[in-house]
Amino acid sequence: MNADRPLLEQVLEFAEARGITLPVFSDVALKVQQAARSDSFDLSDVERAIGDDPALVTEILRAANSAFFGGLAEVSTIRTAIMRLGLQRVSNLVFLATEKNRYTARHPAMSGLMADLWHHSSACARAAEWLARKVRYPQLGETVFIGALVHDIGKLFLLRVIDEMQREPGATPVPIELVHEVLESAHTEVGHRLLTGWHLPEVYQAIVRDHHAEHADPANVALQIVRLADRACNKVGLGLRAEPTLVLVALEEAATLGLSDIALAELEVVLEDVAAHNVIG
């Protein structure tokens, strides 16, 4: 680290010089998602797609048998997991399980931040999916789940690069306070650049770009949902930035979505339950 140059400038130059990037969504996650969108799908194809990855099978079965989903009889196959949870929920769990693998670092400090970021992103995805149902936009469930899962992808990329920089011979430690500063100031721009380069749908690009914007389009319901889910996670301590004194009902997003203080208190309970059961978290 060169103390005479801004850390962000060094991080972006290092990433470009080393060709560091992030993979797009896994093929298995996309295949299961496509099946979940189809009116007719071959369940055997879905089983095979998931079954080819033993680690993924383990994660899905662990989730299906968790107290979070309230199952009584033990689930022992992917087929029975789909029957219990539904294909859309299994699709979301596959996304969670495959995305989780990206949130790793070798440097101890970066590893801790990665873990916190993963807990925030995965909890935000579940909160957004819950909110979509609560405000009677179930058709947006998949969109907000994925949008919330990747809303902080800029932070993931920046942490990955800083972790690589810390492994260079003679590298000097980067103060955690400075890392947080770079993450907060640059992650929306960096994340938007990543999604633009991947040519992902505009709905996801807008979520990544605008989830911290001072004023967000009130007509963009998906964006409003993810913004609220993001703040709710911070309120209950699921994330890199805790906001325990935040009053959710006072947020513009809560008013735009027509959510009462009772509904928002219920959301907090849902998030606390997510944290307690740690389903693929």
Side-chain angles (χ1 to χ4, degrees):
M1 175 183 170
N2 186 338
D4 297 327
R5 298 175 58 212
L7 177 59
L8 179 59
E9 182 180 308
Q10 297 180 60
V11 168
L12 296 180
E13 285 186 5
F14 185 89
E16 184 175 1
R18 298 294 194 281
I20 299 174
T21 186
L22 294 173
V24 194
F25 301 128
S26 81
D27 291 339
V28 174
L30 292 173
K31 185 172 184 178
V32 177
Q33 180 194 58
Q34 184 178 21
R37 290 175 175 173
S38 173
D39 292 331
S40 59
F41 64 91
D42 189 331
L43 185 56
S44 297
D45 287 343
V46 177
E47 287 181 285
R48 281 193 293 271
I50 298 174
D52 285 341
D53 185 339
L56 182 56
V57 171
T58 300
E59 289 280 23
I60 298 302
L61 293 181
R62 183 175 72 85
N65 286 303
S66 72
F68 183 77
F69 292 115
L72 298 177
E74 182 180 0
V75 166
S76 58
T77 68
I78 294 299
R79 181 177 289 262
T80 51
I82 294 172
M83 297 299 292
R84 168 176 290 179
L85 304 174
L87 184 56
Q88 184 57 68
R89 178 158 280 166
V90 169
S91 173
N92 289 346
L93 288 172
V94 169
F95 261 101
L96 283 177
T98 53
E99 282 293 292
K100 181 182 177 183
N101 296 330
R102 304 206 285 184
Y103 288 73
T104 59
R106 296 189 182 184
H107 190 278
M110 297 305 106
S111 181
L113 290 176
M114 281 288 201
D116 289 342
L117 180 60
W118 168 248
H119 291 147
H120 175 75
S121 298
S122 58
C124 192
R126 296 189 191 101
E129 182 187 27
W130 183 89
L131 281 168
R133 295 195 304 271
K134 193 69 176 179
V135 298
R136 295 185 173 86
Y137 278 89
Q139 70 273 23
L140 290 179
E142 176 190 302
T143 297
V144 298
F145 183 92
I146 296 174
L149 191 60
V150 302
H151 78 285
D152 274 342
I153 199 166
K155 289 183 179 180
L156 171 61
F157 176 76
L158 291 166
L159 283 174
R160 177 72 60 82
V161 178
I162 294 172
D163 183 53
E164 292 289 334
M165 291 173 65
Q166 294 286 274
R167 294 166 54 194
E168 288 288 290
T172 56
V174 180
I176 290 297
E177 296 79 9
L178 187 54
V179 173
H180 278 288
E181 182 181 319
V182 168
L183 294 182
E184 289 302 322
S185 66
H187 76 279
T188 55
E189 180 182 349
V190 170
H192 182 250
R193 194 183 309 160
L194 282 172
L195 265 63
T196 302
W198 292 339
H199 305 291
L200 291 190
E202 170 60 28
V203 61
Y204 300 130
Q205 294 183 33
I207 287 171
V208 170
R209 182 188 62 225
D210 297 335
H211 67 277
H212 287 312
E214 185 175 356
H215 299 292
D217 180 4
N220 188 334
V221 177
L223 174 59
Q224 293 288 326
I225 287 174
V226 174
R227 281 169 63 98
L228 182 57
D230 180 38
R231 300 297 297 279
C233 287
N234 289 340
K235 178 172 173 57
V236 301
L238 286 166
L240 301 181
R241 182 180 62 182
E243 296 182 282
T245 61
L246 182 66
V247 179
L248 295 179
V249 74
L251 297 177
E252 288 184 11
E253 293 80 9
T256 300
L257 295 169
L259 289 161
S260 66
D261 53 352
I262 295 175
L264 293 167
E266 188 179 351
L267 171 60
E268 290 188 48
V269 171
V270 168
L271 284 171
E272 288 164 359
D273 200 31
V274 165
H277 290 101
N278 195 33
V279 182
I280 311 183

